[in-house]
């Protein structure tokens, strides 16, 4: 049957031509179609794109910024697309008629928006491009991709500018942060001060809150007190009138005061005269006391000599009493006579000085003058007290109050206090004016009183004791001198009188001791007298000076009495004003009452408000603590930040890094040289399946040329023709793709093997469906081809399809043929699995075909094929 099948083909040239044409169908499909899209991405420089530049340059950082012009320059040098720089109208017209596949417009504010980064509302740089996907969807995607690349390029350029600006600002920020560190320190210090002040404020607010409660109670009490006060204002008016009368009386007594001051002035003049006489007497007393003191010194020396002579006399008398017949008697008597003579001379001198001294008379005169001075001082003090009492605010106030009481007017304690204060204010000015003069007079009196304190009685007693001692001394001397005379004249009676002489000598020694003690006391008294006389002299001088001050003070006092009289008149005017004021107090009493009520309400509000303020102040204090901690941390962080920013050293590389921080480094693990090579696996598989459908449509794969011996022989006769055509399709397609299109697989042999196996699988599948369903089978194969086109993942990854196509993807033969081609054209992996699956499909379908033929053979009649065999034999013989 195989031979008969091929003979029938060779006998019919038309069939041979048809089969040859069918062998070319896959090649035409792949070679021509792939040639049209073999390398479209390599020719993007020929894709026309319109560019419209409307951008206007701007000034930025003292430089001209024209992003649009920069972009145009970059596009002119680019070969990515065929850029034409035209007007807006030309671009729109070209896009409409298909002359351009994209119109790129750079708006006029493109550069202006580029410098709005640091504005409050920065504006994005808008690059407008319009495409026409209706004319070419792929072109629109390609141009859109190019526009995005342009956008990225511009973004990188502008970002670099931004980066430079940002780094410049970072330096400014670093400087500002350095200043902020100082400010943070000041803020921290200020926060500490505010915290301390706030704590004090909190304490004071709490005190205020507590105090306002008392203040509110006081305000209520004030309201009650004001009512009482208003009741007393009327009585105060009556008291003011009485005060006015008292002031009039004060004015009336002022002439008497002036008269008393004049008399006091005359007394001061007399006192001055007496003090002068006293001063002269005291000077004489001082001089005499000095002379007396000198004489006493001489007396003391003589008393010493007398004491020594007395001692010698006693010793001589004792010796004389023991041995009156001694050879030394004459010498002792001579010594005794000499001692007696010295004693006599000393006593005579002392007596003469006492007689000549006028100490007693001078002392008497001084005492008399002091007594007169004391009398004058007492009188002067009386007059001074009178003047002081006349100007005393308390006494005058008392007099006024007594006058008011005598008028029958009753005053409350508050009114009395008010009147007293008013009078005191008026008189206090007058009293202050007189204070200086009165103080001067008082000082003079004090000095005079000090002089009267000298103990003159003691001085008199000491003088009397001195005179007594001198008298005793004279009497003792008389006895001694008498005894001595008797001794000298009656030397013959020495034996009888020696005992008497010894007794007299002892008495003389005793008298001398007494006289010596009196002399010492007299010397001490004279020392006190001398010191007292000096004090009296100094006091006299002070008295004279005090009298001068008293006279000056009295003169001032005499002059000030007129002022006092004028002040009394002013006091009367003041009391009249006081009376007028009380009327206004009565009229304005209601205002005080209303104010007191408002004060009470305000006190309550102050209490509430101060409590709230205290609470708020406590919260503020807590916040200040947090603020203080925060300012300290802020200062530290600012310092760290400033240090870090100052360490940044930006340059052009930094700006470029900021503009394009990420670089995509694509590593192609399965490189494909062009778009045609990438599309070849899909188009070759489709072309072979289309060729199989065409072959089964044009060639009868069912009718045998003679009665088949079995199903296998029938299959062999038909499959040999179809397989041969399929192999031819594969060979022609591979040769043309390699030679014409330049396809370069990794292995030509493997490519042929995959192509032939794919062709045979396609032919077998279409042949089975044609045998089963005749012409309908070819239609079903067209539908199956569409399913393979959609589900094999030839154009887009299968993951981008829907679930149905993902589900049928593993069961489609074209899935494995495409994968095998991709392994050969780019991936470089193994194709064993793909070949195994395709071979399994081929075997399964051919077994089914053999089964079909075996079944169909049973339906054939051998007689139907005998006539045809005879005709064929006859034709063979004829030929």
């Amino acid at each position: 049957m195989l031979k008969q099948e091929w003979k029938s083909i060779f006998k019919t040239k038309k069939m041979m031509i048809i089969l040859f044409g069918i062998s070319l169908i896959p090649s035409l499909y792949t070679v021509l179609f792939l040639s049209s899209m073999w390398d479209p991405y390599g020719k993007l420089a020929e894709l026309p794109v319109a560019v419209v530049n409307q951008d206007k340059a701007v000034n930025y950082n003292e430089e001209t910024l024209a992003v649009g012009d920069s972009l145009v320059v970059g596009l002119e040098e680019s070969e990515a697309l065929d850029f034409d720089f035209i007007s807006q109208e030309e671009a729109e017209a070209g896009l409409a008629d298909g002359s351009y596949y994209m119109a790129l417009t750079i708006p006029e504010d493109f550069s202006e928006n580029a410098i709005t980064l640091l504005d409050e509302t920065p504006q994005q740089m808008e690059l407008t491009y319009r495409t026409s996907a209706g004319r070419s969807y792929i072109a629109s995607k390609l141009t859109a991709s190019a526009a995005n690349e342009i956008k990225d390029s511009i973004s990188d350029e502008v970002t670099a500018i931004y980066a430079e600006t940002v780094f410049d600002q970072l330096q400014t920020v670093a400087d500002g942060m350095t200043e902020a560190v100082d400010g943070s320190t000041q803020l921290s210090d200020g926060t500490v001060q505010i915290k301390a002040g706030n704590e004090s404020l909190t304490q004071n607010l709490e005190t205020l809150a507590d105090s306002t409660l008392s203040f509110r109670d006081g305000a209520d009490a004030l309201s009650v007190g004001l009512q009482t006060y208003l009741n007393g204002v009327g009585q105060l008016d009556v008291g003011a009138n009485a005060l006015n009368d008292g002031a009039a009386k004060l004015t009336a007594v002022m002439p008497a005061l002036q008269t008393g001051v004049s008399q006091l002035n005359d007394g001061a003049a007399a006192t001055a005269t007496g003090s002068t006489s006293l001063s002269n007497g005291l000077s004489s007393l001082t001089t005499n006391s000095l002379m007396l003191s000198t004489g006493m010194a001489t007396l003391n020396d003589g008393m010493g000599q007398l004491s020594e002579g007395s001692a010698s006399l006693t010793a001589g008398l004792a010796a004389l009493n023991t041995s009156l017949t001694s050879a030394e008697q004459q010498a002792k008597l001579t010594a005794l006579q000499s001692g007696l003579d010295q004693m006599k001379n000393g006593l005579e001198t002392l007596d003469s000085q006492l007689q000549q001294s006028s100490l007693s008379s001078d002392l008497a005169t001084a005492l008399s003058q002091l007594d007169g001075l004391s009398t004058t001082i007492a009188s002067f003090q009386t007059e001074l007290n009178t003047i002081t009492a006349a100007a005393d605010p308390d006494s005058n106030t008392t007099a006024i109050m007594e006058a008011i009481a005598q008028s029958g007017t009753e005053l409350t304690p508050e009114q009395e206090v008010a009147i007293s204060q008013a009078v005191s204010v008026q008189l206090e000015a007058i009293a202050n004016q007189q204070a200086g003069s009165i103080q001067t007079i008082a000082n003079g009196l004090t000095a005079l009183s000090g002089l009267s304190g000298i103990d003159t009685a003691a001085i008199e007693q000491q003088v009397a004791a001195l005179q007594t001692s001198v008298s005793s001394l004279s009497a003792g001397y008389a006895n001694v001198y008498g005894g001595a005379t008797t001794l000298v004249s009656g030397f013959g009676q020495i034996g009888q009188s020696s005992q008497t002489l010894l007794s007299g000598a002892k008495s003389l020694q005793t008298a001398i001791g007494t006289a010596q003690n009196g002399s010492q006391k007299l010397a001490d008294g004279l020392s006190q007298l001398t010191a007292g006389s000096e004090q009296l002299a100094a006091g006299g001088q002070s008295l004279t000076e005090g009298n001068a001050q008293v006279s000056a003070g009295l003169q001032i006092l005499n002059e000030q009495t007129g002022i006092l009289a004028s002040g009394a008149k002013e006091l009367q005017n003041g009391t009249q004003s006081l009376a007028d004021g009380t009327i206004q107090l009565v009229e304005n009493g209601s205002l005080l009452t209303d104010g007191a009520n408002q004060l009470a309400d305000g006190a309550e509000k102050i209490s509430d408000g101060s409590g709230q303020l205290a609470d708020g102040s406590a919260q503020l204090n807590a916040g200040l603590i947090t603020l203080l901690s925060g300012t300290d941390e802020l200062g530290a962080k600012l310092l760290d930040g400033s240090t870090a920013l100052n360490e940044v050293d930006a340059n052009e590389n930094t700006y470029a890094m900021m503009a394009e921080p990420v670089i995509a480094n694509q590593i192609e693990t399965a490189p494909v040289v062009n778009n045609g090579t990438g599309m070849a696996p899909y188009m070759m598989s489709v072309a072979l399946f289309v060729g199989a459908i065409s072959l089964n449509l044009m060639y009868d794969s069912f009718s045998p040329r003679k009665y088949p011996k079995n199903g296998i022989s029938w299959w062999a006769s038909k499959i040999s023709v179809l397989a041969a055509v399929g192999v031819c399709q594969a060979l022609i397609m591979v040769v043309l793709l390699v030679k014409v299109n330049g396809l370069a697989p990794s292995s030509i042999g493997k490519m042929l093997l995959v192509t032939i196996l794919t062709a045979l699988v396609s032919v077998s599948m279409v042949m089975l469906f044609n045998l089963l369903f005749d012409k309908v089978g070819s239609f079903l194969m067209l539908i199956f081809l569409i399913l393979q086109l959609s589900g094999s993942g030839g154009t887009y990854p299968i993951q981008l399809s829907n679930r149905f196509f993902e589900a049928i993807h593993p069961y489609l033969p074209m899935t494995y043929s495409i994968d095998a081609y991709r392994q050969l054209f780019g991936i470089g992996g193994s194709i064993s699995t793909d070949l195994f699956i395709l071979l399994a499909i081929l075997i399964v379908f051919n077994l089914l075909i053999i089964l079909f033929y075996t079944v169909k053979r049973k339906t054939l009649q051998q007689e139907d094929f005998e006539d045809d065999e005879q005709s064929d034999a006859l034709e063979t013989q004829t030929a």
Side-chain angles (χ1 to χ4, degrees):
M1 288 189 63
L2 182 61
K3 183 177 179 181
Q4 294 297 326
E5 190 71 28
W6 279 100
K7 283 183 179 182
S8 65
I9 293 174
F10 287 127
K11 285 192 304 183
T12 308
K13 293 183 179 180
K14 180 179 180 180
M15 180 57 62
M16 292 179 64
I17 295 173
I18 291 173
L19 292 177
F20 178 76
I22 291 173
S23 298
L24 295 176
I25 287 177
S27 298
L28 296 174
Y29 194 85
T30 55
V31 173
L32 296 179
F33 183 76
L34 288 176
S35 297
S36 66
M37 61 174 65
W38 188 253
D39 191 15
Y41 297 103
K43 295 182 178 182
L44 288 179
E46 299 176 5
L47 186 67
V49 174
V51 178
V52 180
N53 182 20
Q54 299 176 342
D55 184 37
K56 295 180 180 179
V58 295
N59 292 325
Y60 181 67
N61 288 341
E62 299 180 356
E63 294 181 359
T64 300
L65 180 64
V67 181
D69 294 343
S70 177
L71 176 59
V72 168
V73 172
L75 294 179
E76 287 177 346
E77 297 175 354
S78 173
E79 296 181 357
L81 296 171
D82 183 13
F83 296 105
D84 290 339
F85 304 96
I86 57 178
S87 65
Q88 183 68 34
E89 293 76 11
E90 292 175 336
E92 292 178 354
L95 189 64
D97 61 20
S99 301
Y100 299 106
Y101 289 94
M102 182 179 71
L104 180 66
T105 302
I106 306 172
E108 61 181 7
D109 58 354
F110 198 62
S111 296
E112 181 179 358
N113 290 339
I115 63 175
T116 62
L117 175 64
L118 301 179
D119 292 350
E120 182 178 357
T121 56
Q123 302 294 323
Q124 289 183 319
M125 301 171 64
E126 182 177 353
L127 190 66
T128 304
Y129 64 92
R130 287 174 293 173
T131 59
S132 179
R135 292 191 177 277
S136 175
Y137 181 78
I138 297 298
S140 68
K141 293 301 179 183
L142 292 174
T143 54
S145 177
N148 287 328
E149 291 181 0
I150 294 172
K151 182 202 73 172
D152 293 340
S153 176
I154 296 174
S155 298
D156 293 344
E157 180 180 354
V158 174
T159 302
I161 297 174
Y162 287 165
E164 183 176 2
T165 302
V166 167
F167 279 107
D168 291 341
Q169 292 298 322
L170 283 178
Q171 185 58 45
T172 303
V173 170
D175 297 338
M177 290 177 70
T178 302
E179 296 178 359
V181 172
D182 298 335
S184 176
T185 303
Q186 296 176 357
L187 179 61
S188 179
D189 296 339
T191 302
V192 172
Q193 296 177 359
I194 293 174
K195 180 176 176 296
N198 182 68
E199 292 175 352
S200 177
L201 177 62
T202 302
Q203 295 176 356
N204 292 331
L205 286 173
E206 292 175 352
T207 303
L208 176 61
D210 297 336
S211 299
T212 48
L213 297 177
S214 301
F215 180 66
R216 182 176 58 187
D217 297 336
D220 295 337
L222 177 61
S223 298
V224 177
L226 280 175
Q227 188 60 42
T228 304
Y229 164 74
L230 293 175
N231 294 334
V233 167
Q235 297 178 358
L236 177 61
D237 184 54
V238 176
N241 292 329
L243 177 62
N244 193 20
D245 295 338
K249 292 179 181 181
L250 177 63
T251 304
V253 301
M254 287 307 299
L257 177 61
Q258 290 177 338
T259 301
V261 170
S262 298
Q263 294 175 356
L264 181 62
N265 193 16
D266 296 339
T271 302
T273 302
S275 64
T276 301
S277 299
L278 176 61
S279 178
N280 294 332
L282 289 174
S283 298
S284 299
L285 177 61
T286 301
T287 301
N288 293 331
S289 64
L290 291 175
M291 293 173 62
L292 180 60
S293 178
T294 301
M296 285 304 301
T298 303
L299 176 60
N300 284 334
D301 293 338
M303 288 300 294
Q305 295 175 3
L306 181 61
S307 178
E308 293 175 357
S310 175
S312 298
L313 178 60
T314 304
L317 289 176
L320 181 61
N321 190 35
T322 305
S323 179
L324 292 175
T325 60
S326 174
E328 298 176 355
Q329 289 178 357
Q330 188 64 37
K332 293 180 179 178
L333 288 174
T334 302
L336 174 62
Q337 184 65 39
S338 177
L340 289 174
D341 291 337
Q342 291 179 0
M343 289 177 62
K344 180 180 180 181
N345 293 333
L347 288 174
E348 289 175 355
T349 301
L350 176 61
D351 183 63
S352 175
Q353 290 179 351
L354 288 175
Q355 293 298 326
Q356 294 177 1
S357 176
S358 59
L359 177 60
S360 298
S361 60
D362 292 339
L363 183 60
T365 301
L367 292 176
S368 176
Q369 292 177 352
L370 286 175
D371 291 338
L373 181 60
S374 297
T375 302
T376 302
I377 289 173
S379 176
F380 186 80
Q381 184 68 46
T382 302
E383 293 295 334
L384 186 58
N385 292 335
T386 302
I387 295 172
T388 303
D392 183 29
D394 295 335
S395 61
N396 282 282
T397 302
T398 304
I400 293 170
M401 298 303 294
E402 291 176 354
I404 294 173
Q406 291 174 3
S407 66
T409 302
E410 295 182 357
L411 299 177
T412 64
E414 291 82 0
Q415 293 173 342
E416 291 179 357
V417 172
I419 293 171
S420 298
Q421 291 177 349
V423 173
S424 297
V425 170
Q426 294 295 328
L427 291 178
E428 185 176 0
I430 300 171
N432 290 335
Q433 293 176 356
Q434 305 303 323
S437 299
I438 293 172
Q439 184 62 38
T440 301
I441 297 171
N443 293 335
L445 293 175
T446 301
L448 293 175
S449 297
L451 294 176
S452 61
I454 298 174
D455 192 1
T456 56
I459 296 174
E460 292 177 352
Q461 291 177 1
Q462 292 172 2
V463 172
L466 177 61
Q467 292 175 346
T468 302
S469 297
V470 172
S471 298
S472 299
L473 180 61
S474 298
Y477 171 75
N479 292 328
V480 173
Y481 194 80
T485 301
T486 303
L487 177 62
V488 172
S489 61
F491 183 78
Q493 300 176 358
I494 290 175
Q496 298 175 359
S497 304
S498 61
Q499 186 64 39
T500 304
L501 181 60
L502 180 60
S503 176
K506 292 181 178 178
S507 299
L508 176 61
Q509 188 174 6
T510 301
I512 290 172
T514 302
Q516 191 174 11
N517 292 332
S519 176
Q520 184 64 39
K521 290 181 180 179
L522 179 59
D524 295 338
L526 286 175
S527 297
Q528 294 179 1
L529 178 61
T530 302
S533 64
E534 292 176 355
Q535 293 179 0
L536 284 174
Q541 184 64 31
S542 299
L543 177 61
T544 303
E545 295 175 357
N547 283 330
Q549 294 178 357
V550 168
S551 298
L554 288 174
Q555 183 64 31
I556 295 173
L557 178 61
N558 191 22
E559 294 173 357
Q560 296 297 326
T561 52
I563 298 175
L564 179 61
S566 176
K569 183 62 177 178
E570 292 178 358
L571 174 62
Q572 186 176 7
N573 295 334
T575 55
Q576 184 62 44
S577 299
L578 177 63
D580 296 338
T582 55
I583 296 174
Q584 295 181 359
L585 288 176
V586 173
E587 294 175 353
N588 296 325
S590 60
L591 297 177
L592 288 175
T593 303
D594 295 339
N597 293 332
Q598 294 177 1
L599 183 62
D601 296 338
E604 183 174 359
K605 294 179 181 179
I606 290 174
S607 178
D608 297 337
S610 59
Q612 294 176 359
L613 284 174
D615 296 338
S617 179
Q619 296 176 358
L620 176 61
N621 189 55
L624 287 173
I625 294 175
T626 304
L627 175 62
L628 181 59
S629 176
T631 52
D632 292 340
E633 184 177 359
L634 174 62
K637 297 299 182 183
L638 285 173
L639 183 59
D640 295 341
S642 175
T643 303
L645 288 176
N646 285 322
E647 293 176 355
V648 175
D649 185 15
N651 50 38
E652 295 297 331
N653 294 330
T654 306
Y655 307 148
M657 179 64 182
M658 288 285 292
E660 192 176 4
V662 179
I663 297 177
N665 185 18
Q666 182 181 5
I667 299 175
E668 183 59 69
T669 59
V672 176
V673 294
N674 49 45
N675 182 69
T677 303
M679 291 293 295
Y682 176 65
M683 298 310 301
M684 290 172 68
S685 299
V686 172
L688 291 173
F689 201 85
V690 171
I693 294 175
S694 300
L695 177 61
N696 280 278
L697 286 175
M698 300 303 296
Y699 186 78
D700 184 8
S701 58
F702 176 75
S703 302
R705 298 302 175 185
K706 65 177 183 179
Y707 182 75
K709 296 179 180 179
N710 50 47
I712 295 176
S713 61
W714 194 359
W715 166 78
S717 63
K718 295 297 181 180
I719 197 63
S720 62
V721 176
L722 295 176
V725 175
V727 171
C728 289
Q729 290 177 341
L731 293 174
I732 296 172
M733 184 178 67
V734 169
V735 171
L736 291 177
L737 285 174
V738 172
K739 297 299 182 181
V740 176
N741 295 93
L743 183 64
S746 60
S747 173
I748 296 294
K750 291 181 180 180
M751 178 182 175
L752 287 173
L753 178 61
V754 173
T755 303
I756 293 172
L757 185 57
T758 301
L760 294 178
V761 171
S762 298
V763 168
S764 300
M765 293 179 65
V766 175
M767 179 180 177
L768 176 62
F769 274 83
N770 278 342
L771 291 173
L772 292 175
F773 307 107
D774 196 14
K775 300 301 180 182
V776 177
S778 297
F779 175 73
L780 293 176
M781 285 295 98
L782 285 175
I783 296 176
F784 185 68
L785 175 62
I786 295 173
L787 291 176
Q788 290 197 102
L789 291 174
S790 304
S792 61
T795 53
Y796 295 101
I798 192 61
Q799 290 81 3
L800 301 180
S801 301
N802 57 39
R803 292 183 178 179
F804 171 75
F805 295 111
E806 290 183 14
I808 66 175
H809 175 72
Y811 307 105
L812 300 177
M814 196 179 292
T815 297
Y816 302 99
S817 63
I818 291 173
D819 182 70
Y821 284 128
R822 286 175 174 170
Q823 296 292 338
L824 295 174
F825 298 162
I827 299 175
S830 174
I831 60 175
S832 299
T833 302
D834 299 323
L835 292 177
F836 176 79
I837 293 175
L838 290 174
L839 183 60
I841 294 173
L842 177 63
I843 293 172
V844 170
F845 273 88
N846 279 276
L847 290 176
L848 292 175
I849 292 172
I850 292 171
L851 178 62
F852 174 81
Y853 281 135
T854 301
V855 174
K856 285 295 184 180
R857 178 180 176 278
K858 295 179 181 180
T859 60
L860 295 178
Q861 299 295 326
Q862 187 175 2
E863 292 81 5
D864 295 336
F865 292 95
E866 290 179 355
D867 294 337
D868 293 335
E869 290 176 356
Q870 292 176 359
S871 298
D872 292 337
L874 180 62
E875 291 177 359
T876 301
Q877 291 177 359
T878 302

